[in-house]
Amino acid sequence: MVSPDLIVETARLALGTPFRHQGRQVGRGLDCAGLVLWVGWQLGVTCYDQTGYPRSFSDNRLLLAAEDAGFCKIKTPGRGDVACLQIGGALQHLAIHTGNGLIHACERAGRVVEHRLDAHWRRSILCGFHYPGNVQ
């Protein structure tokens, strides 16, 4: 079992890692899915991985992959959950919810960042997932 605090603490270890599409290594490069998966691997709650996906897509690929990996879908994510974000009208981005902020691999910033959960980001959240073994 893992706690939301441990999930957030682990995600913070990746801060500053460069953005790299399909990246899976802290310090070398992560994308949004890579960050979520890396945290799960560090905590031993999933061994799932998926590559070969495009930079942006308009289907439900992220939702299906999360379910395949054992993540439990929820309507409203909270601390330690994965937030599924809408960009350009489609679910295209993942972040880790810190309770009052988000940690994510941001292509625009060029690295993994943490920032406050402002009105813009709150409106972007479509749904979320509990990590496998997440104690709520």
Side-chain angles (χ1 to χ4, degrees), residues 4 14 21 26 54 62 72 85 93 95 97 100-101 106 112 126 128 135:
H21 179 61
V26 165
L62 283 174
C72 177
L85 305 167
H93 193 55
H97 202 296
N100 61 359
C106 179
V112 176
L126 294 178
V135 179

PDB file of all heavy atoms in Angstrom, residues 4 14 21 26 54 62 72 85 93 95 97 100-101 106 112 126 128 135:
ATOM      1  N   PRO A   4      -0.840   8.781  -0.434  1.00  0.00           N
ATOM      2  CA  PRO A   4      -0.769   9.946  -1.325  1.00  0.00           C
ATOM      3  C   PRO A   4       0.485  10.778  -1.080  1.00  0.00           C
ATOM      4  O   PRO A   4       1.098  11.274  -2.030  1.00  0.00           O
ATOM      5  CB  PRO A   4      -2.041  10.727  -0.988  1.00  0.00           C
ATOM      6  CG  PRO A   4      -2.998   9.680  -0.509  1.00  0.00           C
ATOM      7  CD  PRO A   4      -2.139   8.699   0.244  1.00  0.00           C
ATOM      8  N   ALA A  14      11.478  13.915  -9.470  1.00  0.00           N
ATOM      9  CA  ALA A  14      11.648  14.086 -10.920  1.00  0.00           C
ATOM     10  C   ALA A  14      11.675  15.549 -11.346  1.00  0.00           C
ATOM     11  O   ALA A  14      11.942  15.836 -12.519  1.00  0.00           O
ATOM     12  CB  ALA A  14      10.530  13.363 -11.658  1.00  0.00           C
ATOM     13  N   HIS A  21       9.642  13.285 -25.269  1.00  0.00           N
ATOM     14  CA  HIS A  21       8.517  12.444 -25.685  1.00  0.00           C
ATOM     15  C   HIS A  21       8.877  10.972 -25.517  1.00  0.00           C
ATOM     16  O   HIS A  21       9.921  10.531 -25.996  1.00  0.00           O
ATOM     17  CB  HIS A  21       8.157  12.754 -27.138  1.00  0.00           C
ATOM     18  CG  HIS A  21       7.032  11.931 -27.667  1.00  0.00           C
ATOM     19  ND1 HIS A  21       5.768  11.963 -27.122  1.00  0.00           N
ATOM     20  CD2 HIS A  21       6.984  11.046 -28.684  1.00  0.00           C
ATOM     21  CE1 HIS A  21       4.980  11.140 -27.784  1.00  0.00           C
ATOM     22  NE2 HIS A  21       5.700  10.567 -28.744  1.00  0.00           N
ATOM     23  N   VAL A  26      14.301   9.566 -15.070  1.00  0.00           N
ATOM     24  CA  VAL A  26      14.515  10.809 -14.328  1.00  0.00           C
ATOM     25  C   VAL A  26      15.948  11.265 -14.559  1.00  0.00           C
ATOM     26  O   VAL A  26      16.877  10.462 -14.565  1.00  0.00           O
ATOM     27  CB  VAL A  26      14.227  10.597 -12.824  1.00  0.00           C
ATOM     28  CG1 VAL A  26      14.770  11.740 -11.987  1.00  0.00           C
ATOM     29  CG2 VAL A  26      12.731  10.459 -12.613  1.00  0.00           C
ATOM     30  N   PRO A  54       1.605   8.741 -30.239  1.00  0.00           N
ATOM     31  CA  PRO A  54       1.923  10.043 -30.848  1.00  0.00           C
ATOM     32  C   PRO A  54       2.028  11.149 -29.792  1.00  0.00           C
ATOM     33  O   PRO A  54       1.607  10.969 -28.651  1.00  0.00           O
ATOM     34  CB  PRO A  54       0.733  10.294 -31.772  1.00  0.00           C
ATOM     35  CG  PRO A  54      -0.384   9.534 -31.166  1.00  0.00           C
ATOM     36  CD  PRO A  54       0.229   8.328 -30.514  1.00  0.00           C
ATOM     37  N   LEU A  62      -5.212   7.099 -23.522  1.00  0.00           N
ATOM     38  CA  LEU A  62      -4.685   7.251 -22.164  1.00  0.00           C
ATOM     39  C   LEU A  62      -5.557   6.537 -21.135  1.00  0.00           C
ATOM     40  O   LEU A  62      -5.052   5.897 -20.217  1.00  0.00           O
ATOM     41  CB  LEU A  62      -4.570   8.733 -21.787  1.00  0.00           C
ATOM     42  CG  LEU A  62      -3.403   9.503 -22.357  1.00  0.00           C
ATOM     43  CD1 LEU A  62      -3.514  10.982 -21.997  1.00  0.00           C
ATOM     44  CD2 LEU A  62      -2.087   8.948 -21.854  1.00  0.00           C
ATOM     45  N   CYS A  72      -7.166   2.785 -11.009  1.00  0.00           N
ATOM     46  CA  CYS A  72      -8.614   2.796 -10.775  1.00  0.00           C
ATOM     47  C   CYS A  72      -9.180   4.166 -11.143  1.00  0.00           C
ATOM     48  O   CYS A  72      -8.797   5.183 -10.547  1.00  0.00           O
ATOM     49  CB  CYS A  72      -8.876   2.488  -9.301  1.00  0.00           C
ATOM     50  SG  CYS A  72     -10.602   2.536  -8.845  1.00  0.00           S
ATOM     51  N   LEU A  85      -5.900  15.484 -18.052  1.00  0.00           N
ATOM     52  CA  LEU A  85      -6.151  16.862 -18.449  1.00  0.00           C
ATOM     53  C   LEU A  85      -6.527  16.990 -19.916  1.00  0.00           C
ATOM     54  O   LEU A  85      -5.966  16.325 -20.786  1.00  0.00           O
ATOM     55  CB  LEU A  85      -4.906  17.711 -18.173  1.00  0.00           C
ATOM     56  CG  LEU A  85      -4.390  17.655 -16.737  1.00  0.00           C
ATOM     57  CD1 LEU A  85      -3.010  18.252 -16.652  1.00  0.00           C
ATOM     58  CD2 LEU A  85      -5.341  18.352 -15.811  1.00  0.00           C
ATOM     59  N   HIS A  93      -3.137  14.879 -21.657  1.00  0.00           N
ATOM     60  CA  HIS A  93      -2.042  15.141 -20.735  1.00  0.00           C
ATOM     61  C   HIS A  93      -2.332  14.531 -19.378  1.00  0.00           C
ATOM     62  O   HIS A  93      -3.494  14.426 -18.973  1.00  0.00           O
ATOM     63  CB  HIS A  93      -1.850  16.654 -20.611  1.00  0.00           C
ATOM     64  CG  HIS A  93      -0.585  17.069 -19.959  1.00  0.00           C
ATOM     65  ND1 HIS A  93       0.663  16.668 -20.383  1.00  0.00           N
ATOM     66  CD2 HIS A  93      -0.371  17.861 -18.885  1.00  0.00           C
ATOM     67  CE1 HIS A  93       1.593  17.217 -19.605  1.00  0.00           C
ATOM     68  NE2 HIS A  93       0.990  17.930 -18.689  1.00  0.00           N
ATOM     69  N   ALA A  95      -0.965  14.432 -15.149  1.00  0.00           N
ATOM     70  CA  ALA A  95      -0.207  15.104 -14.098  1.00  0.00           C
ATOM     71  C   ALA A  95      -0.472  14.383 -12.788  1.00  0.00           C
ATOM     72  O   ALA A  95      -1.447  13.642 -12.654  1.00  0.00           O
ATOM     73  CB  ALA A  95      -0.638  16.567 -13.979  1.00  0.00           C
ATOM     74  N   HIS A  97      -1.474  14.973  -9.002  1.00  0.00           N
ATOM     75  CA  HIS A  97      -2.162  15.962  -8.162  1.00  0.00           C
ATOM     76  C   HIS A  97      -1.467  16.012  -6.798  1.00  0.00           C
ATOM     77  O   HIS A  97      -1.253  14.982  -6.170  1.00  0.00           O
ATOM     78  CB  HIS A  97      -3.617  15.528  -8.004  1.00  0.00           C
ATOM     79  CG  HIS A  97      -4.556  16.613  -7.639  1.00  0.00           C
ATOM     80  ND1 HIS A  97      -4.480  17.302  -6.453  1.00  0.00           N
ATOM     81  CD2 HIS A  97      -5.616  17.125  -8.302  1.00  0.00           C
ATOM     82  CE1 HIS A  97      -5.463  18.184  -6.402  1.00  0.00           C
ATOM     83  NE2 HIS A  97      -6.161  18.102  -7.526  1.00  0.00           N
ATOM     84  N   ASN A 100      -2.899  20.775  -3.838  1.00  0.00           N
ATOM     85  CA  ASN A 100      -3.114  22.173  -4.216  1.00  0.00           C
ATOM     86  C   ASN A 100      -2.310  22.559  -5.457  1.00  0.00           C
ATOM     87  O   ASN A 100      -2.152  23.725  -5.756  1.00  0.00           O
ATOM     88  CB  ASN A 100      -2.793  23.116  -3.053  1.00  0.00           C
ATOM     89  CG  ASN A 100      -1.356  23.003  -2.609  1.00  0.00           C
ATOM     90  OD1 ASN A 100      -0.596  22.207  -3.141  1.00  0.00           O
ATOM     91  ND2 ASN A 100      -0.980  23.791  -1.623  1.00  0.00           N
ATOM     92  N   GLY A 101      -1.816  21.552  -6.153  1.00  0.00           N
ATOM     93  CA  GLY A 101      -1.020  21.806  -7.342  1.00  0.00           C
ATOM     94  C   GLY A 101      -0.899  20.567  -8.205  1.00  0.00           C
ATOM     95  O   GLY A 101      -1.528  19.541  -7.946  1.00  0.00           O
ATOM     96  N   CYS A 106       6.110  19.036 -18.609  1.00  0.00           N
ATOM     97  CA  CYS A 106       5.511  20.091 -19.427  1.00  0.00           C
ATOM     98  C   CYS A 106       6.392  20.368 -20.640  1.00  0.00           C
ATOM     99  O   CYS A 106       7.521  20.846 -20.497  1.00  0.00           O
ATOM    100  CB  CYS A 106       5.353  21.346 -18.573  1.00  0.00           C
ATOM    101  SG  CYS A 106       4.648  22.747 -19.435  1.00  0.00           S
ATOM    102  N   VAL A 112      10.075  18.726 -16.125  1.00  0.00           N
ATOM    103  CA  VAL A 112       9.053  18.389 -15.131  1.00  0.00           C
ATOM    104  C   VAL A 112       8.951  19.557 -14.157  1.00  0.00           C
ATOM    105  O   VAL A 112       9.968  20.021 -13.630  1.00  0.00           O
ATOM    106  CB  VAL A 112       9.406  17.085 -14.376  1.00  0.00           C
ATOM    107  CG1 VAL A 112       8.390  16.797 -13.272  1.00  0.00           C
ATOM    108  CG2 VAL A 112       9.497  15.911 -15.348  1.00  0.00           C
ATOM    109  N   LEU A 126     -10.338  16.442 -16.458  1.00  0.00           N
ATOM    110  CA  LEU A 126     -11.530  15.707 -16.893  1.00  0.00           C
ATOM    111  C   LEU A 126     -11.899  14.579 -15.934  1.00  0.00           C
ATOM    112  O   LEU A 126     -13.065  14.297 -15.724  1.00  0.00           O
ATOM    113  CB  LEU A 126     -11.314  15.114 -18.276  1.00  0.00           C
ATOM    114  CG  LEU A 126     -11.158  16.098 -19.420  1.00  0.00           C
ATOM    115  CD1 LEU A 126     -10.891  15.354 -20.718  1.00  0.00           C
ATOM    116  CD2 LEU A 126     -12.401  16.951 -19.548  1.00  0.00           C
ATOM    117  N   GLY A 128      -9.644  11.311 -13.261  1.00  0.00           N
ATOM    118  CA  GLY A 128      -8.376  10.920 -12.671  1.00  0.00           C
ATOM    119  C   GLY A 128      -8.309   9.431 -12.424  1.00  0.00           C
ATOM    120  O   GLY A 128      -9.240   8.682 -12.754  1.00  0.00           O
ATOM    121  N   VAL A 135      -3.638   4.325  -0.886  1.00  0.00           N
ATOM    122  CA  VAL A 135      -4.506   4.344   0.288  1.00  0.00           C
ATOM    123  C   VAL A 135      -5.155   5.697   0.380  1.00  0.00           C
ATOM    124  O   VAL A 135      -4.484   6.708   0.524  1.00  0.00           O
ATOM    125  CB  VAL A 135      -3.701   4.061   1.575  1.00  0.00           C
ATOM    126  CG1 VAL A 135      -4.600   4.109   2.780  1.00  0.00           C
ATOM    127  CG2 VAL A 135      -2.988   2.741   1.469  1.00  0.00           C
TER     128      VAL A 135
END
